[in-house]
């Protein structure tokens, strides 16, 4: 199963993420026309290295900044309807499920397990459903909210996760999506190492 998952990530998810990155970059920063300077003779001078456009890293960084703003808005909307103790939690794992996660998909089962395993360590888990399919069932002990407007944030890589700290800051806008944006790598859906690291637990 793990071999098949890795093959899927390398052959499908990563190329898809790179295509999505290219589309995002085009939306955020459409290629500008090269600035035209004028020579002493009054003729347009050819573009020089000074006219260089922003680098891929700079563009990816801008997309990440925008994503984190949107993620913070999604979490804020979720917290308004979540259990009151979530707002002051030491550390909150936000598990965002994309459309198609119905009838207890793996991401929701992982959220429930981590909630059971790390509650005594100070972790709270918020399940952020982006598919409003009318389900009333929720994983045991997990605060569950539905915010359909946040669905585009977690496409095309699907389910994602990130941490919210007590001061309201986020570890990312989605660990899997940011890894694809910044490092061009595909991450499996595995929040536990991130949780343990931020709880200062040995892996």
């Amino acid at each position: 199963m793990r071999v098949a998952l890795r093959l899927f990530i390398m052959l499908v998810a990563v190329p898809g993420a790179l295509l999505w990155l290219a589309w995002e970059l085009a939306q955020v920063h459409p290629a500008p026309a090269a600035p035209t300077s004028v020579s002493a003779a009054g003729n347009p001078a050819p573009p020089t290295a000074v006219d260089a456009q922003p680098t891929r890293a700079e563009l990816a960084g801008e997309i990440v900044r925008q994503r984190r703003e949107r993620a913070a808005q999604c979490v804020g909307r979720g917290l308004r309807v979540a259990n009151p103790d979530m707002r002051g939690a030491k550390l909150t794992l936000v598990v965002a499920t994309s459309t198609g996660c119905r009838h207890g998909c793996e991401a929701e089962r992982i959220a429930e397990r981590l909630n059971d395993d790390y509650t005594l360590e100070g972790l709270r888990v918020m399940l952020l459903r982006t598919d409003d399919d009318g389900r009333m069932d929720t994983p045991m002990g997990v605060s569950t909210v539905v915010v359909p407007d946040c669905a585009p944030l977690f496409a095309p890589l699907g389910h994602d996760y990130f941490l919210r700290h007590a001061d309201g800051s986020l570890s990312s806008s989605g660990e899997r999506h940011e890894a694809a944006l910044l490092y061009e790598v595909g991450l499996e859906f595995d929040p536990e190492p991130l949780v343990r690291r931020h709880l200062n637990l040995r892996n």
Side-chain angles (χ1 to χ4, degrees):
M1 181 64 182
R2 286 185 175 274
V3 173
L5 180 60
R6 290 194 182 96
L7 287 174
F8 173 80
I9 290 173
M10 296 305 298
L11 298 179
V12 178
V14 172
L18 293 178
L19 288 174
W20 167 71
L21 172 60
W23 182 85
E24 285 272 17
L25 294 177
Q27 298 301 309
V28 176
H29 291 281
T36 303
S37 57
V38 179
S39 67
N43 298 319
T48 65
V50 177
D51 303 321
Q53 298 178 12
T55 66
R56 179 198 171 280
E58 291 171 338
L59 297 180
E62 174 62 17
I63 293 174
V64 166
R65 184 190 66 76
Q66 294 182 6
R67 281 185 56 87
R68 292 194 182 187
E69 289 180 357
R70 292 163 61 193
Q73 293 171 0
C74 291
V75 172
R77 292 171 63 184
L79 288 175
R80 284 197 289 270
V81 296
N83 296 335
D85 66 337
M86 298 290 294
R87 299 182 184 90
K90 170 184 175 183
L91 189 67
T92 301
L93 172 66
V94 180
V95 174
T97 59
S98 61
T99 55
C101 182
R102 304 187 178 192
H103 307 298
C105 68
E106 183 182 15
E108 295 196 355
R109 292 195 296 272
I110 290 174
E112 183 175 13
R113 179 181 64 80
L114 294 178
N115 182 74
D116 292 342
D117 291 350
Y118 295 99
T119 293
L120 295 180
E121 304 291 344
L123 181 72
R124 295 293 179 269
V125 178
M126 182 169 73
L127 179 61
L128 181 67
R129 285 177 175 161
T130 62
D131 190 354
D132 188 8
D133 59 3
R135 278 186 300 161
M136 299 299 291
D137 59 305
T138 60
M140 184 68 68
V142 176
S143 184
T144 303
V145 297
V146 181
V147 190
D149 292 347
C150 296
L153 189 61
F154 304 105
L157 296 185
H159 317 319
D160 214 330
Y161 57 90
F162 52 95
L163 297 174
R164 178 186 183 273
H165 299 277
D167 62 1
S169 62
L170 306 180
S171 67
S172 72
S173 63
E175 299 294 323
R176 300 179 65 232
H177 282 79
E178 288 197 11
L181 274 169
L182 298 175
Y183 311 114
E184 300 184 27
V185 297
L187 294 182
E188 296 182 19
F189 188 92
D190 185 12
E192 189 165 12
L194 180 71
V195 167
R196 292 185 63 85
R197 186 165 69 250
H198 283 265
L199 289 175
N200 295 316
L201 301 174
R202 291 184 178 180
N203 289 320

